[in-house]
Amino acid sequence: MDRTDEHLLELAAEGDAACFGELIERWERRIFGFIYRYVGNREEAKDLTQDTFTKAFRNLGRLTDRTRFSSWLYKIALNECRMRFRRESRFPKVSWEQNREELQKTTRDHWTPATTLENREQVHLLREVIGLLPEEQKLVIIMKEYQGLKFHEISEILGIPLSTAKSRMYLGLKTIRKLMEEKT
């Protein structure tokens, strides 16, 4: 029987930790992907992903609308990232050059052997350019393009109007296009 997130949340709120474990299995990869793209460091992303699920479990009672679990989880992940950067007095500006080995490994994991060197260079360049975007544009692009979230979900997670989410996406894509043209 395939149980819904809402059903698992209900059971988890009643103390069934195994049900929350099932939710982690469902959502861990997406949340990790979001955090990794945001912070640019695999180990830090692993830690922040674990912190996200720990905080979510501790605060299950605060989730009033179980149909909004995914948005709530992304909000927690984003807040965990921001708190980590605040504590460490640094802003999440990713130095893609410093993470070259990680990026090469990630690129290898997602491309077939038939992929050309030119495609790999484009991937590196795109990641570098996304890392240069202002945070508000970068977040919307990561959530929309890499996480597949809808604009209304992004708007809810970031606490911004729908039109603002769309305009940040448009501005971010425009900036990416401009920077990619300048660098090629």
Side-chain angles (χ1 to χ4, degrees):
M1 172 173 92
D2 191 29
R3 300 185 286 187
T4 64
D5 286 352
E6 292 84 10
H7 182 68
L8 291 170
L9 283 165
E10 185 178 322
L11 295 172
E14 293 170 2
D16 189 340
C19 287
F20 194 76
E22 193 172 327
L23 285 167
I24 291 172
E25 287 177 25
R26 286 183 185 182
W27 286 95
E28 184 175 32
R29 186 176 179 158
R30 286 180 267 193
I31 295 299
F32 172 79
F34 166 69
I35 292 172
Y36 176 66
R37 284 182 178 92
Y38 184 61
V39 302
N41 179 288
R42 187 173 298 280
E43 290 306 312
E44 193 159 14
K46 285 179 185 176
D47 290 345
L48 287 164
T49 300
Q50 184 175 1
D51 293 347
T52 297
F53 284 105
T54 300
K55 184 167 249 176
F57 184 71
R58 287 185 186 143
N59 291 292
L60 274 179
R62 293 184 179 185
L63 178 61
T64 54
D65 184 355
R66 292 191 173 113
T67 63
R68 303 244 186 252
F69 175 67
S70 62
S71 297
W72 182 70
L73 198 54
Y74 277 105
K75 278 183 193 178
I76 292 171
L78 179 57
N79 287 337
E80 286 298 306
C81 291
R82 288 178 171 165
M83 284 189 324
R84 171 84 50 99
F85 292 125
R86 217 175 290 130
R87 276 194 307 268
E88 295 175 6
S89 299
R90 63 186 178 98
F91 190 75
K93 291 288 184 188
V94 179
S95 169
W96 295 108
E97 288 301 315
Q98 291 174 344
N99 293 316
R100 182 180 298 275
E101 284 180 36
E102 250 180 71
L103 289 172
Q104 288 171 340
K105 179 187 182 313
T106 303
T107 303
R108 274 194 311 271
D109 291 347
H110 292 91
W111 291 90
T112 66
T115 303
T116 64
L117 179 60
E118 183 179 326
N119 286 341
R120 288 188 195 127
E121 288 172 355
Q122 288 287 57
V123 169
H124 288 297
L125 182 59
L126 180 59
R127 287 182 177 170
E128 180 181 334
V129 167
I130 289 173
L132 297 173
L133 292 174
E135 180 188 13
E136 61 273 359
Q137 293 172 14
K138 177 181 171 180
L139 279 171
V140 172
I141 288 173
I142 290 170
M143 290 177 172
K144 179 74 174 143
E145 295 301 318
Y146 292 100
Q147 300 307 121
L149 298 176
K150 293 176 176 50
F151 280 115
H152 71 83
E153 293 171 311
I154 296 168
S155 156
E156 182 181 334
I157 292 165
L158 297 178
I160 58 175
L162 183 63
S163 60
T164 302
K166 289 179 179 181
S167 67
R168 287 180 182 177
M169 179 75 173
Y170 170 76
L171 289 171
L173 291 175
K174 186 176 174 182
T175 304
I176 287 172
R177 253 183 247 108
K178 180 183 174 198
L179 290 171
M180 292 289 284
E181 287 172 3
E182 288 174 4
K183 292 184 179 266
T184 53

